[in-house]
Amino acid sequence: MENVIYEVSEGVAVITLNRPQAKNAIDAATAQAIEAAMDRLEADPSVRVGILTGAGGTFCSGMDLKAFLRGEVVVTPRRGFAGIASCPPPVPLIAAIEGYSVAGGFEIALSCDLIVASRAAQFGLPEVRRGLVATAGGMLRIPGLLPPNVAHELVLTGRMASAQEMAGYGLVNRLVDEGEALQGAKALAAEIAANGPVAVRTSKAVMRQSLHWSQDEMFERQDEAARPVFTSEDAKEGARAFAEKRAPRWSGR
């Protein structure tokens, strides 16, 4: 059985963590398979959006502690924990979450750009309860995504939080009924995939990278990144399609 399943349809890649017997926990083989999926996603110009989900009604329960005790390394050299946490792909990535998104599983979700979650989904960073710390992006990303006191509470207590609570703080983009997270993520992906792929990738890059830009340089660096978009074939096609009152035919150039 493959630890990770990669499927593409209509410009959307669905990457499924496929260890339901282990609640999709990350062992060495799974981390390497996720990295390979991210590399494939990044290299394929026909893929405009990626969806990351889990089989068997659970998104991911984090690091496989049995694998950890066996001495397995679940961090890859290029992309970090689970083959994604420290270096997500430039393609927009949606987490489709059913059940538990805990510890490293929550950190994988935080590596994505958008989250669609079942109303029954649960989130948490319980590392401190095991004498560990959330070093796969939890401590780094949560403070910028949630109100500071809420972020501190989640990390320092290790408590679980419902999808409704996380949606209330804006961390979850769309709440859906149980069992419909993947369907909801596909609907959101279709909205993104309908847009100009050059513009979408550049927009993601600017939003991610600008967090580290100073006020003095941010417009200059934004313009540097955006300039090729305005001279692209897609920009010309978008204008022509608008004038001709038809759907654009994007080339990704």
Side-chain angles (χ1 to χ4, degrees):
M1 183 172 68
E2 293 180 83
N3 284 9
V4 173
I5 299 170
Y6 188 99
E7 302 169 298
V8 178
S9 177
E10 298 181 346
V12 177
V14 177
I15 300 147
T16 306
L17 308 183
N18 191 38
R19 296 188 72 215
Q21 75 285 359
K23 301 296 183 184
N24 299 321
I26 306 298
D27 60 1
T30 305
Q32 292 159 12
I34 294 172
E35 180 173 81
M38 294 301 110
D39 290 346
R40 187 174 174 184
L41 185 70
E42 190 166 327
D44 188 347
S46 71
V47 175
R48 299 178 183 177
V49 187
I51 296 172
L52 191 58
T53 192
T58 295
F59 180 69
C60 178
S61 58
M63 178 175 65
D64 187 328
L65 295 180
K66 293 180 181 178
F68 172 74
L69 291 173
R70 290 194 299 268
E72 292 189 22
V73 177
V74 296
V75 175
T76 66
R78 289 185 295 109
R79 294 191 185 270
F81 172 74
I84 183 176
S86 62
C87 187
V91 180
L93 197 57
I94 303 169
I97 297 177
E98 299 281 354
Y100 287 102
S101 175
V102 223
F106 192 7
E107 292 174 299
I108 291 172
L110 294 173
S111 303
C112 298
D113 304 290
L114 303 159
I115 295 176
V116 175
S118 154
R119 290 183 174 84
Q122 294 283 320
F123 299 83
L125 292 170
E127 280 84 350
V128 292
R129 297 188 176 191
R130 301 170 188 155
L132 301 171
V133 287
T135 57
M139 294 187 295
L140 300 176
R141 291 187 169 117
I142 276 283
L145 296 169
L146 294 175
N149 285 2
V150 176
H152 293 161
E153 179 183 340
L154 287 178
V155 172
L156 299 179
T157 66
R159 74 170 177 87
M160 298 298 293
S162 69
Q164 287 94 331
E165 180 182 355
M166 292 295 94
Y169 293 122
L171 186 72
V172 170
N173 295 83
R174 297 186 181 182
L175 278 175
V176 296
D177 290 337
E178 189 171 3
E180 295 184 3
L182 181 55
Q183 180 181 342
K186 286 181 176 179
L188 180 55
E191 290 184 43
I192 297 170
N195 299 323
V198 175
V200 167
R201 287 197 184 204
T202 301
S203 296
K204 170 175 173 172
V206 168
M207 287 189 290
R208 288 274 184 170
Q209 295 167 16
S210 62
L211 297 173
H212 311 290
W213 298 344
S214 70
Q215 285 193 333
D216 291 339
E217 67 178 344
M218 61 184 183
F219 275 96
E220 180 180 349
R221 296 191 66 171
Q222 173 192 258
D223 293 346
E224 181 182 354
R227 198 170 296 119
V229 177
F230 287 92
T231 58
S232 68
E233 290 300 316
D234 276 355
K236 296 171 187 175
E237 167 60 13
R240 280 194 297 267
F242 178 79
E244 296 169 10
K245 298 180 180 179
R246 59 172 174 80
R249 296 184 288 269
W250 306 118
S251 66
R253 300 192 300 273

